[in-house]
């Protein structure tokens, strides 16, 4: 181990420490005092409910833990978007659980809450996973109602998805464990089966105060829409539970009797650990996003037995394409090589840049994986496509378009890990969020943006100084440096992986050593959904 390795290791481990601190904070939801209030009502918190529901000592992954992070400070914040989403196992069956967090504005829906709930439903629909809703919500957060109510990707889309999932045969189970009001009342009732907790839960389109104001009727909430009302009079719900634990036990019992699913048939063998130590990643990954490193060394610490079967090893060297296994699952890896490489033409090619030949190779490999029904894993550390007259005259746009075409029409499940840079069109070509990866996660070292902070700051500085000069301002060297630092600081905040995770551009920020678990659980989920469409790239320029 050299000094540089040790410096990288210290830096990357500090990033992981920061990640853990951030996760610990968002997991408190609305804070300790709000948690105590829920307990005083005889209720479990959203996270406690999920922990009780999922099989003990089984693996689980959390989607969107940082959703809403730093986005609604003027409204008191919205940790984890006020809803907790996990993929895990109930009675040995993989499923996705969605639980409103009543400690965050009484579980009210912010705009990002709707986006996160829709993402959970999208995962269920793509993978045909059973979905469990643990409902405890005051409904739409009214101060922001114009950003959540009427549009296609807003609140109403949830119920449309409920109906579509039912027609697809996807199991949906809802437990109402607190408030369930207004339009939100449709969600549990559009599920296959609905459970309601006695005394602490209620369902109604309008609460007692609104009923009094609207029609003059005086009635209390329990009589209006409590468990006894809906289990004995209206027939809206199917089961009455005495408390949270009883409701969760009923879900476990239902899940225990669900039949097996049709499988996609992805290839799996017994898992093997990597021969190379995965923790070495901390020392191999450079502190600076501009520094070069060897992506092969990262791959060796992610795949079973540290073994790969490389495709076109000596061609298009700035992208690595290889078959491997991760936790026993066969995968096709498409990864950006981040060190300088020499092409057959004896020219040096920059690491992290997509050239004509590497785009051509990746296109062919993506097609091959679709032909062989092998899931794709993208390891992103990309600055974009090569620019300049030589690349343009060689048809870089055409070759890039072919790669994007193959990616867009891919029918096998795709998984994206953002290791470092994820800039511009490189983000797209390497399966960014716009290209429907089943799961997309970032390491703490990731940066997502149109271009790097330095490059963007230089461009924006030119625009800013030109504008000031037109106004007659004199721009000194000191003033220019001050402006540059201001612009770069603002831009750097936006390239942070936490900025992206807050907006659900990624599903999570994870420790590098968790990568194998995410990919493995993702492929297991995808195996619930047989591929029904043939791979077809349509019209392309060759």
């Amino acid at each position: 181990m050299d000094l540089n390795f040790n410096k990288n290791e210290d830096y990357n481990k500090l990033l992981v420490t920061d990640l853990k601190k951030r996760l610990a904070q968002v997991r408190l939801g609305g804070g300790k005092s709000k948690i105590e209030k829920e307990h005083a009502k005889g209720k479990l918190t959203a996270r406690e409910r999920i922990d009780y529901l999922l099989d003990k000592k089984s693996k689980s992954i959390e989607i969107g833990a940082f959703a809403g992070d730093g986005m609604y400070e003027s409204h008191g914040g919205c940790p984890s978007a006020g809803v907790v989403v996990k993929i895990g196992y109930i009675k040995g069956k993989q499923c996705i659980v969605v639980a409103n967090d009543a400690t965050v504005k009484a579980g009210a829906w912010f705009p990002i809450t709707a986006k996160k709930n829709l993402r959970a439903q999208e995962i269920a629909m793509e993978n045909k996973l059973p979905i469990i809703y643990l409902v405890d919500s005051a409904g739409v957060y009214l101060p922001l109602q114009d950003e959540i109510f009427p549009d296609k990707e807003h609140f109403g889309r949830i119920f449309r998805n409920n109906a579509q999932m039912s027609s697809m045969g996807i199991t949906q189970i809802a437990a109402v464990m607190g408030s369930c009001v207004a339009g939100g009342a449709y969600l549990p009732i559009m599920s296959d089966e609905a459970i309601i907790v006695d005394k602490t839960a209620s369902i109604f389109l309008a609460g007692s105060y609104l009923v009094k104001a609207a029609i003059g009727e005086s009635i209390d909430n329990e009589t209006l829409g409590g468990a006894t009302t809906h289990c004995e009079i209206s027939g809206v719900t199917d089961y009455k539970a005495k408390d949270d634990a009883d409701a969760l036990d009923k879900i476990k019992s239902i899940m225990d009797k669900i039949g097996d699913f049709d499988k996609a048939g992805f290839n799996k063998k017994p898992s093997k650990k990597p021969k190379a130590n995965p923790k070495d990643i901390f020392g191999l990954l450079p502190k600076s996003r501009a520094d070069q490193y060897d992506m092969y060394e990262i791959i060796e610490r992610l795949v079973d037995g540290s073994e790969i079967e490389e495709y076109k090893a000596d061609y298009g060297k700035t992208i690595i394409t290889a078959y491997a296994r991760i936790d026993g699952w066969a995968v096709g890896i498409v990864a950006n090589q981040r060190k300088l490489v020499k092409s057959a033409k004896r020219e040096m090619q920059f690491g992290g840049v997509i050239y004509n030949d590497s785009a051509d190779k990746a296109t062919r490999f993506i097609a091959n994986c679709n032909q062989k029904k092998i899931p794709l894993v993208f390891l992103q550390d990309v600055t974009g496509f090569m620019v300049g007259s030589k690349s343009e005259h060689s048809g870089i746009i055409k070759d890039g378009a072919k790669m994007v075409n193959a990616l867009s029409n891919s029918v096998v499940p795709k998984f994206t890990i953002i290791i470092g840079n994820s800039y511009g069109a490189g983000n797209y070509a390497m399966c960014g969020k716009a290209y429907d990866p089943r799961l997309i996660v970032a390491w703490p070292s990731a940066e997502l943006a149109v271009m790097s902070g330095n490059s963007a700051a230089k461009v924006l500085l030119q625009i800013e100084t030109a504008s000031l000069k037109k106004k007659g301002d004199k721009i000194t060297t000191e003033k220019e440096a001050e402006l540059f630092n201001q612009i770069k600081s603002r831009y750097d905040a936006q390239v942070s992986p936490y900025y992206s995770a807050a907006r659900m551009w990624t599903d999570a920020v994870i420790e590098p050593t968790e990568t194998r678990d995410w990919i493995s659980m993702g492929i297991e989920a995808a195996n619930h959904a047989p591929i029904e469409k043939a791979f077809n790239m349509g019209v392309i320029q060759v």
Side-chain angles (χ1 to χ4, degrees):
M1 303 296 179
D2 59 20
L3 181 60
N4 197 46
F5 183 99
N6 292 335
K7 287 181 178 178
N8 291 338
E9 185 176 43
D10 290 343
Y11 176 76
N12 286 306
K13 284 186 174 180
L14 282 173
L15 291 182
V16 169
T17 299
D18 180 53
L19 167 61
K20 289 178 177 178
K21 286 180 180 177
R22 289 171 180 260
L23 282 171
Q25 185 61 43
V26 298
R27 284 170 180 161
L28 288 174
K32 292 180 180 178
S33 63
K34 296 287 180 66
I35 291 172
E36 289 169 2
K37 285 181 180 179
E38 291 300 297
H39 289 165
K41 296 175 188 175
K43 295 165 65 177
L44 300 173
T45 65
R47 292 185 180 278
E48 289 168 343
R49 288 167 176 166
I50 293 177
D51 287 345
Y52 184 96
L53 189 59
L54 296 182
D55 295 346
K56 301 301 180 226
K57 297 182 180 178
S58 64
K59 291 181 180 178
S60 66
I61 54 178
E62 183 172 353
I63 305 295
F66 292 111
D69 187 43
M71 290 178 63
Y72 302 101
E73 298 309 304
S74 62
H75 295 271
C78 187
S80 286
V83 62
V84 182
V85 176
K86 285 192 177 184
I87 299 174
Y89 303 87
I90 301 174
K91 294 296 181 179
K93 295 180 176 67
Q94 195 179 39
C95 58
I96 186 162
V97 184
V98 180
N100 299 115
D101 187 349
T103 70
V104 180
K105 292 287 192 294
W109 287 55
F110 284 66
I112 195 66
T113 315
K115 187 171 184 177
K116 184 170 175 179
N117 275 269
L118 288 169
R119 175 61 177 146
Q121 289 186 320
E122 179 183 44
I123 291 170
M125 293 169 81
E126 284 182 331
N127 299 292
K128 296 190 176 177
L129 275 185
I131 184 167
I132 316 298
Y133 306 102
L134 306 181
V135 183
D136 193 346
S137 171
V140 167
Y141 183 63
L142 290 177
L144 297 173
Q145 65 85 27
D146 61 321
E147 298 179 41
I148 188 175
F149 169 62
D151 209 346
K152 181 179 178 180
E153 300 301 329
H154 283 175
F155 193 75
R157 189 77 169 183
I158 302 287
F159 315 130
R160 174 263 192 192
N161 287 351
N162 286 141
Q164 287 218 332
M165 280 190 279
S166 184
S167 71
M168 294 166 67
I170 298 170
T171 295
Q172 300 177 83
I173 303 168
V176 181
M177 310 179 82
S179 297
C180 183
V181 302
Y186 290 106
L187 184 148
I189 311 313
M190 293 187 76
S191 299
D192 303 338
E193 297 182 84
I195 301 158
I196 185 169
V197 179
D198 196 21
K199 305 306 180 197
T200 57
S202 56
I203 308 172
F204 34 66
L205 296 181
S208 57
Y209 292 124
L210 187 54
V211 168
K212 177 69 173 177
I215 63 173
E217 180 183 3
S218 295
I219 189 170
D220 64 88
N221 282 339
E222 182 64 26
T223 306
L224 181 66
T228 299
T229 295
H230 285 310
C231 287
E232 299 180 18
I233 301 173
S234 72
V236 164
T237 52
D238 306 307
Y239 308 93
K240 183 196 289 188
K242 62 181 180 181
D243 55 25
D244 280 10
D246 188 34
L248 298 169
D249 285 337
K250 289 182 188 299
I251 293 173
K252 291 181 183 183
S253 179
I254 294 167
M255 287 294 295
D256 194 37
K257 298 172 181 67
I258 293 174
D260 203 359
F261 57 90
D262 295 333
K263 296 176 177 63
F266 301 124
N267 188 292
K268 191 175 195 298
K269 289 188 174 181
S271 176
K272 293 195 295 186
K273 292 181 179 179
K275 286 182 181 177
N277 188 351
K279 291 183 179 179
D280 288 347
I281 290 171
F282 296 119
L284 295 168
L285 195 66
K287 178 179 178 180
S288 170
R289 293 274 42 84
D291 287 352
Q292 304 280 299
Y293 64 96
D294 192 347
M295 183 61 81
Y296 286 102
E297 294 187 326
I298 302 295
I299 294 172
E300 286 172 0
R301 285 155 178 84
L302 296 177
V303 301
D304 288 15
S306 300
E307 298 168 348
I308 64 171
E309 183 66 34
E310 192 168 2
Y311 174 80
K312 289 186 181 288
D314 298 317
Y315 178 72
K317 292 183 178 181
T318 64
I319 284 184
I320 299 166
T321 50
Y323 300 107
R325 290 188 182 275
I326 292 178
D327 197 28
W329 294 103
V331 296
I333 294 173
V334 181
N336 302 112
Q337 173 58 295
R338 276 307 313 270
K339 73 173 188 177
L340 287 168
V341 296
K342 187 177 286 188
S343 76
K345 300 175 183 177
R346 298 189 180 279
E347 63 182 12
M348 294 305 295
Q349 294 184 334
F350 296 102
V353 178
I354 303 174
Y355 289 78
N356 299 74
D357 52 0
S358 48
D360 177 69
K361 176 173 79 170
T363 301
R364 177 81 180 193
F365 184 72
I366 291 168
N368 278 343
C369 286
N370 275 272
Q371 183 85 343
K372 296 176 176 67
K373 203 159 74 171
I374 300 173
L376 285 158
V377 173
F378 292 83
L379 303 178
Q380 277 199 23
D381 194 343
V382 58
T383 52
F385 286 87
M386 191 59 190
V387 297
S389 60
K390 187 172 183 180
S391 290
E392 297 292 358
H393 296 170
S394 298
I396 187 66
I397 296 174
K398 181 174 66 176
D399 290 324
K402 285 192 292 185
M403 184 175 174
V404 170
N405 188 311
L407 181 68
S408 302
N409 287 297
S410 178
V411 296
V412 295
K414 306 181 292 287
F415 302 89
T416 301
I417 315 298
I418 304 173
I419 290 174
N421 303 326
S422 181
Y423 297 153
N427 169 282
Y428 300 160
M430 291 295 294
C431 200
K433 184 65 180 289
Y435 292 84
D436 298 322
R438 296 292 177 97
L439 295 172
I440 177 170
V441 298
W443 289 359
S445 49
E447 292 187 358
L448 286 77
V450 172
M451 61 183 76
S452 71
N454 271 327
S455 298
K458 287 174 184 176
V459 172
L460 293 169
L461 178 65
Q462 291 175 31
I463 297 168
E464 181 73 13
T465 53
S467 175
L468 291 171
K469 285 176 181 177
K470 280 184 181 179
K471 295 176 183 177
D473 292 354
K474 185 179 180 181
I475 307 299
T476 63
T477 304
E478 291 77 13
K479 177 66 174 176
E480 191 172 272
E482 182 185 344
L483 282 171
F484 177 83
N485 290 330
Q486 288 175 356
I487 293 168
K488 188 174 183 303
S489 176
R490 187 168 63 244
Y491 194 88
D492 283 346
Q494 295 179 1
V495 306
S496 161
Y498 299 102
Y499 188 92
S500 301
R503 288 151 183 80
M504 294 295 296
W505 300 342
T506 59
D507 291 317
V509 182
I510 68 168
E511 297 183 41
T513 51
E514 296 174 334
T515 304
R516 282 169 55 85
D517 285 344
W518 274 79
I519 294 170
S520 176
M521 287 190 70
I523 299 175
E524 183 182 349
N527 206 35
H528 286 73
I531 297 170
E532 298 171 349
K533 182 182 175 183
F535 176 66
N536 185 345
M537 287 179 63
V539 178
I540 60 169
Q541 290 193 15
V542 295

